[in-house]
Amino acid sequence: MNNENRYRVGIWGEQGSGKSIFAATFPDPKLIIDTEDTAKEVKFLFPNKDISIVSFNEIDMKGKNGEKLEVMKYEKILDTIDKLEADCKFKTIIWDSSTDIWAWCQSYSKLTDFNLKPSDRLKYQFDWGKINSHYRLMLARFRNLNVNLILTGKSGLVYDKLGN
């Protein structure tokens, strides 16, 4: 597959709207980077598809709170990229969900770049540009692989009815 024949697709929708199932229709072999623990179900629905899964729900959570666990997941995805850059046998890679990966970048940056404690979060504004640079670099590394890249994203309430 040459660079001109690759798909770059973003799928945005509510949970259960079929984003992952649609993504599974892209060319095999495919890798699902599964942040939501839904890839096993997708693989079950497509028994004749060549689907591999990298799951982030099996990371040992002993002694880790939410953000420290998200940092571990961020580091695992970087390790996954390293392995794919060395040897990528896939035609399609699916980030399911890129919304979670963005949250992991936030936690990584808060804890490693800014060293913010949870009690300090409301006192300080942190640099969204720095967090975005982690995310963009990760995305660029995936884009540089000679694969179709499918990103799913969860829709959700950003502001309440009062604008908060």
Side-chain angles (χ1 to χ4, degrees):
M1 176 173 29
N2 63 34
N3 290 343
E4 295 84 37
N5 295 328
R6 295 183 297 175
Y7 293 105
R8 299 288 188 252
V9 178
I11 307 167
W12 192 263
E14 294 181 17
Q15 185 174 352
S17 62
K19 301 178 299 290
S20 303
I21 292 170
F22 174 66
T25 65
F26 284 82
D28 287 342
K30 62 182 74 60
L31 173 68
I32 300 176
I33 297 175
D34 183 21
T35 69
E36 301 179 323
D37 205 24
T38 58
K40 290 177 188 169
E41 181 182 330
V42 171
K43 190 171 182 168
F44 176 78
L45 292 172
F46 293 94
N48 298 324
K49 295 280 188 181
D50 184 358
I51 299 173
S52 297
I53 301 168
V54 173
S55 175
F56 289 83
N57 295 311
E58 58 200 34
I59 292 177
D60 184 9
M61 295 173 36
K62 294 176 187 168
K64 304 296 181 204
N65 65 24
E67 287 181 330
K68 289 182 181 175
L69 181 61
E70 287 184 348
V71 168
M72 291 174 68
K73 290 178 178 185
Y74 174 86
E75 291 168 346
K76 180 178 177 180
I77 201 166
L78 292 180
D79 183 55
T80 300
I81 297 169
D82 291 341
K83 291 175 183 172
L84 289 169
E85 287 173 336
D87 181 31
C88 185
K89 62 181 180 179
F90 302 102
K91 287 188 180 176
T92 302
I93 296 177
I94 303 165
W95 281 23
D96 193 12
S97 140
S98 61
T99 306
D100 292 327
I101 295 170
W102 168 254
W104 301 346
C105 289
Q106 287 179 333
S107 293
Y108 177 83
S109 206
K110 288 175 191 176
L111 292 176
T112 61
D113 294 334
F114 306 117
N115 298 312
L116 290 178
K117 297 175 187 167
S119 59
D120 293 335
R121 301 283 157 66
L122 297 176
K123 295 179 195 174
Y124 303 102
Q125 288 290 332
F126 47 87
D127 187 352
W128 287 100
K130 181 71 173 174
I131 297 168
N132 194 36
S133 70
H134 288 297
Y135 189 76
R136 283 191 343 247
L137 179 60
M138 187 184 300
L139 182 57
R141 290 179 68 192
F142 274 105
R143 273 195 333 258
N144 289 337
L145 298 170
N146 193 23
V147 298
N148 300 307
L149 183 59
I150 316 300
L151 278 66
T152 69
K154 296 183 250 184
S155 62
L157 186 63
V158 176
Y159 298 102
D160 65 17
K161 292 179 183 178
L162 299 173
N164 299 317

